[in-house]
Amino acid sequence: MYLAYIFIFLQVILISLSFQNYKNDVYLKKIASYVLVLILTVISGFRYNVGRDFPNYELMYLDPNNVRNLFIEPVWQYSANALRNLGFSSVAWFLCTSFVINSCFITGIRKLSRNFYLSVAFYLASC
């Protein structure tokens, strides 16, 4: 329940910043992108048993030799094996993958969008 309030709060801040746009200040966009990547990584990385596909992703991490896991890209297999050998649980893998995904999205939005804050607000709304 409180997670919905966090998303609503982020949306209000991003939309209000998009109207002002702070004269496209590159330094402020860079700081905002780091903060957003951190917040989104924490929110999406620590979710447990959320979504219909969560058990499938957890099974991919816990049982790498399963036949259903043959479609996973080698990068994710190597990172999952490394985390598993270091003794981490599936939560660490979710944090790692959500960090990579969110940082790539936010970096792409920062470099390609005319209005960074409005584009990030749409990215958050698409979830």
Side-chain angles (χ1 to χ4, degrees):
M1 182 68 171
Y2 294 112
L3 186 61
Y5 293 129
I6 291 172
F7 274 114
I8 291 170
F9 181 67
L10 279 174
Q11 290 285 15
V12 168
I13 288 174
L14 289 170
I15 289 175
S16 65
L17 287 174
S18 72
F19 288 131
Q20 295 182 3
N21 203 9
Y22 286 107
K23 300 176 185 164
N24 268 337
D25 187 9
V26 177
Y27 180 70
L28 186 62
K29 280 199 303 190
K30 188 176 263 192
I31 290 176
S33 65
Y34 291 146
V35 170
L36 283 167
V37 166
L38 179 71
I39 290 172
L40 293 175
T41 298
V42 167
I43 289 173
S44 61
F46 282 116
R47 67 183 177 12
Y48 188 78
N49 212 7
V50 174
R52 294 179 62 187
D53 56 351
F54 179 84
N56 295 332
Y57 289 120
E58 190 174 37
L59 181 68
M60 281 185 235
Y61 181 80
L62 297 176
D63 188 14
N65 298 323
N66 193 335
V67 171
R68 294 187 302 173
N69 297 335
L70 294 178
F71 67 92
I72 301 173
E73 293 89 359
V75 172
W76 296 118
Q77 288 178 351
Y78 295 140
S79 65
N81 285 335
L83 290 172
R84 199 176 310 103
N85 291 335
L86 291 172
F88 289 107
S89 68
S90 61
V91 175
W93 190 59
F94 286 127
L95 281 170
C96 177
T97 56
S98 68
F99 174 75
V100 169
I101 291 167
N102 286 317
S103 62
C104 288
F105 266 104
I106 297 296
T107 302
I109 289 171
R110 187 180 77 219
K111 290 182 179 182
L112 300 174
S113 177
R114 288 185 181 182
N115 194 333
F116 171 74
Y117 304 105
L118 187 61
S119 298
V120 172
F122 281 130
Y123 171 62
L124 287 178
S126 68
C127 299

